[in-house]
Amino acid sequence: MLFEVLCVCVLLTLTLKTVKAQGQQNKPNVILIYADDLGYGDVSSYGATKLSTPHIDALAAQGVRFTNAHSSSATCTPSRFSLLTGVYPWRQEGTGILPGDAKLIIPTDKTTLPKVFQQSGYKTAVVGKWHLGLGGDGEKNWNERIKLGPNDVGFDFSFIFPATNDRTPTVFLENQRVIGLDPADPLEVNYKEKIGNDPTAAENPELLKIHANFGHKNTIVNGLGRIGFMKGGHQARWVDEEITPTFLHVSKKFIRENAESPFFLFFSLNDPHAPRVPATFFKGKSGLGPRGDAILQLDWTVGEIMRELRYLGIDEHTIVIFSSDNGAVLIDDYEDGSVAMLNGHTPSGSLRGGKYSVFEGGTRVPFIVRGPGAEQGKVSHALIGQMDLLASMAQMLGLSVPQEAVDSEPLMSALLGQSVTGRDHLIEHAGTLSVLKGKWKYIAPSKGPAKSSFTDTELGNLATAQLYDLSVDLGEQHNIAEKHPEVVQELETILRQEREKTYNK
Ligand code: NG6
Ligand code: CA
């Protein structure tokens, strides 16, 4: 009798385990680690030799490293809009770099990447930089729960800062409520005029730890001039050194609490975006100045997340995707010595341009996929856009691909390295638009400046059409548009047809 009971118990346990394993296989956890302004050449598995990123490299060794994957834009807000909606940012007005008091720009009635996971019973979270606006039209009251935000577009849990680490308000919000607020010191934000008595960078430059050249002249917080004014909320203001460790802590907690259920975590870090003020134990570590130190901090964060997954025994059931929201920039207004201390490091690798640029340095970014189903140690040259994640995840979960995610393509087998076929073509976005198809890159004529007056980046603008053969000229040095009018015409037609599609189709 005892033997029979034992056998039944063992069988039951085995069956339960198999069911759990099958469930986990069909619904792996997904963590998207999204760096801010990390360039194609900033990671050692992408060729960096002056700094080492062992934890990001480990992801590449365990999974698929993409050489032709792209953020949807060369700046933050448009890339993130597209990542979450599956729609090119230039289809929708108002998707440019947002101020910290902007309203939410993701429609609440349309499909989003986290909503795809919610439909499949996942718990979803965003932790980190948001930069997609909060609230509706009109003034926001930062001292109460903000009515529209990440929790209204598919995230069950959110722990964010509103815009960028260089924009007010410099506070964290948990589920759309500023945390650590003292009711006796209410928070106000203003992007038009000075409010309150805090010193500003314009008036008190002697108080600054890092000087900025053009913007960042408003309220000083922790010795750094920010874009935008703020008043009150002193207790709630973050300490810059604590931003990444705070996001890491909150992410680990979310992972731990949801280790048993499938979860999707959008872990949206702000390294190495300026101002680069990493935790003290990273200061001076890279030998390349604050930007290099911030990249080491980013790499450490990746390692800590992976360690947590192993500790919980769920690393084999978790897909980890690593990428960046746009290309690299050295001096993004704050004079932090990043150029002088470069020591031969090439943030964009062999690509031309960087953040803000329609050249490849603007949107071709590190992109790694590891986890269940992914080939190990593979390098893929498939053409991938970050907006393809939405349709690909729907495909993985057996859902139909939402029609309104008009630009998102289901490419799950390419993402897992099982197929070499990615998109047929991709539109890149900076000031102007370009088309990538096969070996060709076409940049539409643009009257914009050749260089950014703020960052010195080559923007890729030219009054006439540009055509590059990336198979032999990845650095976009030889414009051969005049030699190949038929290719120019073909790619112009693609661009025209793409422009005719709309978000609501
Ligand atoms: C620019 C800022 C830059 C950075 C960027 C947004 C100036 C001169 N430049 O306007 O410092 O904040 O906006 O970066 O103020 S992003 O990665 O969020 O797109
Ligand atoms: Ca960015």
Side-chain angles (χ1 to χ4, degrees):
M1 181 63 184
L2 184 67
F3 176 71
E4 280 169 10
V5 171
L6 265 177
C7 282
V8 171
C9 281
V10 169
L11 249 178
L12 253 178
T13 318
L14 278 179
T15 320
L16 280 176
K17 272 207 165 155
T18 326
V19 169
K20 194 176 167 202
Q22 276 173 355
Q24 283 171 328
Q25 239 167 31
N26 295 338
K27 291 184 175 179
N29 307 312
V30 178
I31 301 179
L32 169 59
I33 306 178
Y34 209 45
D36 194 1
D37 298 3
L38 186 76
Y40 192 77
D42 275 327
V43 173
S44 32
S45 43
Y46 277 83
T49 55
K50 303 291 178 185
L51 53 73
S52 175
T53 53
H55 298 294
I56 301 169
D57 300 348
L59 298 182
Q62 294 161 16
V64 190
R65 182 173 73 79
F66 290 84
T67 62
N68 197 10
H70 297 258
S71 60
S72 297
S73 177
T75 52
C76 170
T77 301
S79 280
R80 284 156 201 263
F81 173 84
S82 184
L83 172 80
L84 294 190
T85 60
V87 176
Y88 283 130
W90 40 269
R91 294 201 192 286
Q92 161 115 341
E93 291 268 306
T95 56
I97 298 171
L98 290 179
D101 63 348
K103 65 174 181 180
L104 177 71
I105 59 164
I106 308 259
T108 52
D109 59 345
K110 292 211 164 63
T111 198
T112 62
L113 177 61
K115 281 186 189 171
V116 165
F117 286 103
Q118 279 183 333
Q119 269 178 53
S120 291
Y122 279 60
K123 281 273 173 293
T124 59
V126 54
V127 177
K129 170 175 177 169
W130 179 240
H131 212 183
L132 291 163
L134 293 167
D137 290 320
E139 235 173 78
K140 254 183 288 301
N141 184 348
W142 293 93
N143 303 287
E144 54 187 40
R145 188 178 186 278
I146 308 272
K147 285 194 189 67
L148 290 171
N151 297 53
D152 301 289
V153 296
F155 293 106
D156 298 314
F157 173 75
S158 64
F159 187 101
I160 56 161
F161 64 57
T164 59
N165 56 331
D166 54 339
R167 282 176 174 74
T168 61
T170 58
V171 295
F172 299 123
L173 287 93
E174 183 169 331
N175 294 327
Q176 296 169 204
R177 225 177 243 288
V178 175
I179 58 167
L181 260 186
D182 172 1
D185 184 29
L187 171 65
E188 274 179 55
V189 178
N190 195 310
Y191 269 71
K192 293 191 190 88
E193 60 194 16
K194 182 178 170 175
I195 47 171
N197 300 320
D198 288 296
T200 64
E203 290 162 357
N204 291 93
E206 75 284 358
L207 298 178
L208 297 174
K209 290 195 283 202
I210 307 174
H211 283 263
N213 292 318
F214 305 101
H216 309 102
K217 297 290 186 201
N218 305 151
T219 305
I220 300 178
V221 183
N222 303 327
L224 296 158
R226 315 279 168 160
I227 303 175
F229 298 97
M230 66 193 277
K231 172 187 173 187
H234 288 84
Q235 185 180 278
R237 298 181 185 189
W238 70 51
V239 175
D240 292 77
E241 279 87 342
E242 290 176 1
I243 294 176
T244 300
T246 303
F247 288 155
L248 176 62
H249 171 75
V250 175
S251 292
K252 278 180 170 176
K253 188 161 175 282
F254 173 79
I255 293 171
R256 231 174 291 135
E257 286 171 357
N258 292 283
E260 295 288 321
S261 58
F263 65 80
F264 167 60
L265 169 64
F266 176 28
F267 188 24
S268 172
L269 288 158
N270 86 115
D271 291 319
H273 194 288
R276 295 134 189 160
V277 190
T280 305
F281 60 101
F282 288 105
K283 287 179 181 165
K285 258 207 163 168
S286 66
L288 304 182
R291 186 171 186 277
D293 299 344
I295 294 173
L296 296 193
Q297 174 167 264
L298 167 71
D299 185 63
W300 167 81
T301 314
V302 171
E304 287 300 297
I305 290 289
M306 296 313 292
R307 200 151 70 118
E308 185 69 21
L309 296 179
R310 282 194 300 277
Y311 172 72
L312 295 168
I314 56 171
D315 58 319
E316 305 263 307
H317 305 298
T318 305
I319 293 180
V320 178
I321 303 166
F322 175 83
S323 199
S324 174
D325 68 341
N326 52 251
V329 59
L330 284 170
I331 303 290
D332 207 3
D333 203 24
Y334 291 99
E335 283 289 350
D336 66 3
S338 289
V339 169
M341 297 185 74
L342 209 48
N343 190 28
H345 174 61
T346 49
S348 298
S350 51
L351 308 180
R352 190 167 178 184
K355 182 180 181 179
Y356 308 111
S357 168
V358 79
F359 286 134
E360 289 298 281
T363 68
R364 192 181 291 228
V365 285
F367 189 90
I368 299 168
V369 180
R370 65 69 77 197
E375 301 285 317
Q376 290 194 9
K378 189 161 177 167
V379 177
S380 170
H381 306 300
L383 179 61
I384 303 284
Q386 288 173 357
M387 72 276 184
D388 296 326
L389 285 177
L390 194 158
S392 303
M393 292 296 129
Q395 182 187 33
M396 176 180 84
L397 297 168
L399 302 173
S400 55
V401 172
Q403 289 287 304
E404 52 200 14
V406 64
D407 301 306
S408 189
E409 294 189 14
L411 298 172
M412 203 54 208
S413 50
L415 289 177
L416 295 173
Q418 293 159 356
S419 159
V420 294
T421 313
R423 304 175 65 88
D424 171 72
H425 62 269
L426 175 102
I427 314 295
E428 294 174 297
H429 168 256
T432 184
L433 298 180
S434 72
V435 184
L436 273 184
K437 182 175 162 62
K439 64 179 187 175
W440 298 111
K441 160 116 176 225
Y442 160 80
I443 305 178
S446 162
K447 295 205 171 83
K451 274 193 168 191
S452 157
S453 50
F454 299 127
T455 63
D456 213 30
T457 310
E458 288 187 294
L459 298 176
N461 296 319
L462 196 71
T464 55
Q466 296 174 73
L467 182 73
Y468 299 97
D469 175 352
L470 299 184
S471 68
V472 293
D473 183 23
L474 189 59
E476 297 167 273
Q477 296 295 328
H478 307 287
N479 179 6
I480 49 176
E482 277 182 14
K483 257 199 230 157
H484 297 279
E486 72 299 343
V487 181
V488 169
Q489 205 185 3
E490 184 199 336
L491 298 183
E492 269 171 354
T493 305
I494 289 178
L495 185 56
R496 200 182 55 245
Q497 287 166 347
E498 282 291 352
R499 279 179 189 276
E500 279 162 12
K501 293 184 198 165
T502 62
Y503 191 1
N504 290 313
K505 252 185 205 161

